[in-house]
Amino acid sequence: APSSAPSSLSLLSPIPTWCHHSCAITTAGTLRCWGANNNGQTDVPSGLGTVRQVSAGYEHTCVVTTTDGLRCWGRNSEGQANVPSDPLKTATPTRTATATPTATPTVNKLPQISAGRFHTCTIVATGALGCWGQNDRAYRQADIPSNLGAVRQMSVGSGGYHACVITTDSTLRCWGSNSQSQTTVPTNLGTVSQVSAGLSYTCAMTTANIPRCWGSNSQGQTTIPNDLGTIKQISAGGSHTCAITSTNILRCWGLNSQGQTTVPTNLGTVSQISAGGYHTCAITSTSTLRCWGWNDSDQATVPNDLGTVRQFSVGWSHTCAITNANTLRCWGSNSDGQVTLPSEFRGSSGAWRT
């Protein structure tokens, strides 16, 4: 999904590069999930009620209900789906093979939830951040900095082992795996308005609309083109990065083994971008979705009859989009049923929240 998308846009769950399942919210607030279900991650609990946000992790799923309850289910090997009684307090995770949703904890309103690879984080209305799940000595990805303060936005890295947040005073903080210095925020960064955590690197857009990247540069993914100028959006993928310039032109750099950074010459101006594992997608100024790069499962082959698009999400080998007619479409690898929509929402019958 587009980096730094606000929670109100999380109608189609962002598809992490490691994820083989998808979820979406209908116009009535009903949650539907499909795809890999080896740990019950697509088994929507009965009695869940209506939801306003969903986040699909590696093999677990979390939602915020319309009554501001937090529910998670699926794989729980590191306690990632076992919501603490107080999500804002660090606790020893309860590990089981899978987790069944229990009564929702009583906490402040939950504006944002993010299910990572083996851990989960939430931001409440006060801006306080809570994380639980895997917190091993090597990465400490659920170990929130003690003096973090109030938070307004977060991004979990494509590898699932580091996380970054923007505080309410526009300061960027990162923690977790620092094997490639991806959590070492440059001292001269200044204030930021956007962050995107890639596989082993991090990119941010400052409040002056200047792009900055750091961490692994094995494929040139953190080497920003000298002539890029100011930007409107930045997206860090597996080993490549893309940004929309102030004139709405798309630029990409880094690994190009599958043509993922070769922007089509006829693309035109764009309004939204997502750098995936090995393929890239963008919405043009005419609301057309274009994709390119790795296409072994047709994940970059946009259906001819798709029509105009308002939201999309890029996974490792599949892509999903919500059209302006409120229909949901998915294409690419179907190895785990990740592009086979629930029967009641196939074709043009599905109505997805506007």
Side-chain angles (χ1 to χ4, degrees), residues 198-244:
L199 182 59
S200 295
Y201 73 107
T202 306
C203 290
M205 183 178 77
T206 71
T207 51
N209 299 324
I210 302 298
R212 297 286 299 275
C213 296
W214 58 93
S216 175
N217 196 37
S218 59
Q219 304 295 330
Q221 62 267 48
T222 64
T223 301
I224 298 170
N226 292 328
D227 60 346
L228 184 63
T230 55
I231 64 170
K232 291 184 176 180
Q233 186 186 351
I234 193 163
S235 178
S239 296
H240 76 289
T241 309
C242 293
I244 300 174

Side-chain angles (χ1 to χ4, degrees), residues 72 79 121 191 200 226 320 324:
C72 295
C121 293
T191 54
S200 295
N226 292 328
C320 292
N324 284 327

Side-chain angles (χ1 to χ4, degrees), residues 12-331:
L12 170 64
S13 174
I15 308 170
T17 56
W18 60 74
C19 196
H20 285 249
H21 76 287
S22 303
C23 295
I25 303 171
T26 71
T27 52
T30 302
L31 180 70
R32 291 288 184 268
C33 296
W34 61 96
N37 196 38
N38 51 311
N39 280 289
Q41 61 265 44
T42 66
D43 289 334
V44 178
S46 59
L48 179 66
T50 54
V51 303
R52 61 179 177 83
Q53 191 194 351
V54 57
S55 181
Y58 173 46
E59 291 178 346
H60 76 294
T61 304
C62 293
V63 300
V64 177
T65 71
T66 52
T67 57
D68 294 307
L70 176 61
R71 304 284 293 274
C72 295
W73 60 91
R75 182 170 176 168
N76 195 47
S77 58
E78 299 294 332
Q80 65 267 43
N82 193 6
V83 182
S85 57
D86 185 348
L88 300 183
K89 290 184 178 180
T90 302
T92 301
T94 302
R95 297 177 173 88
T96 57
T98 59
T100 301
T102 56
T104 57
T106 302
V107 295
N108 293 312
K109 290 186 176 181
L110 292 154
Q112 195 174 149
I113 180 72
S114 180
R117 192 177 183 93
F118 296 114
H119 74 294
T120 306
C121 293
T122 186
I123 302 173
V124 302
T126 60
L129 177 71
C131 295
W132 60 93
Q134 188 181 58
N135 196 34
D136 56 50
R137 293 180 180 179
Y139 305 124
R140 310 300 296 180
Q141 60 268 53
D143 208 359
I144 302 169
S146 58
N147 60 344
L148 185 63
V151 170
R152 62 179 175 84
Q153 181 193 320
M154 62 180 161
S155 177
V156 177
S158 297
Y161 295 113
H162 83 288
C164 295
V165 299
I166 299 176
T167 65
T168 51
D169 64 359
S170 299
T171 299
L172 181 67
R173 300 288 297 276
C174 298
W175 65 92
S177 174
N178 199 35
S179 59
Q180 301 294 323
S181 299
Q182 62 265 47
T183 65
T184 303
V185 179
T187 55
N188 63 347
L189 180 65
T191 54
V192 300
S193 58
Q194 191 181 123
V195 61
S196 182
L199 182 59
S200 295
Y201 73 107
T202 306
C203 290
M205 183 178 77
T206 71
T207 51
N209 299 324
I210 302 298
R212 297 286 299 275
C213 296
W214 58 93
S216 175
N217 196 37
S218 59
Q219 304 295 330
Q221 62 267 48
T222 64
T223 301
I224 298 170
N226 292 328
D227 60 346
L228 184 63
T230 55
I231 64 170
K232 291 184 176 180
Q233 186 186 351
I234 193 163
S235 178
S239 296
H240 76 289
T241 309
C242 293
I244 300 174
T245 71
S246 57
T247 56
N248 299 316
I249 300 300
L250 181 65
R251 298 282 300 276
C252 296
W253 60 94
L255 181 65
N256 196 37
S257 59
Q258 302 295 326
Q260 61 266 47
T261 66
T262 303
V263 179
T265 55
N266 62 347
L267 182 65
T269 55
V270 299
S271 61
Q272 205 174 113
I273 177 65
S274 180
Y278 289 96
H279 77 292
T280 305
C281 293
I283 296 179
T284 71
S285 56
T286 59
S287 299
T288 300
L289 183 67
R290 299 282 300 275
C291 298
W292 58 95
W294 193 32
N295 199 36
D296 69 325
S297 298
D298 291 331
Q299 63 266 43
T301 302
V302 179
N304 292 329
D305 61 347
L306 183 65
T308 55
V309 168
R310 64 178 176 84
Q311 187 193 348
F312 70 99
S313 190
V314 174
W316 187 267
S317 56
H318 76 290
T319 306
C320 292
I322 298 177
T323 72
N324 284 327
N326 281 344
T327 58
L328 176 65
R329 301 283 297 276
C330 294
W331 58 94

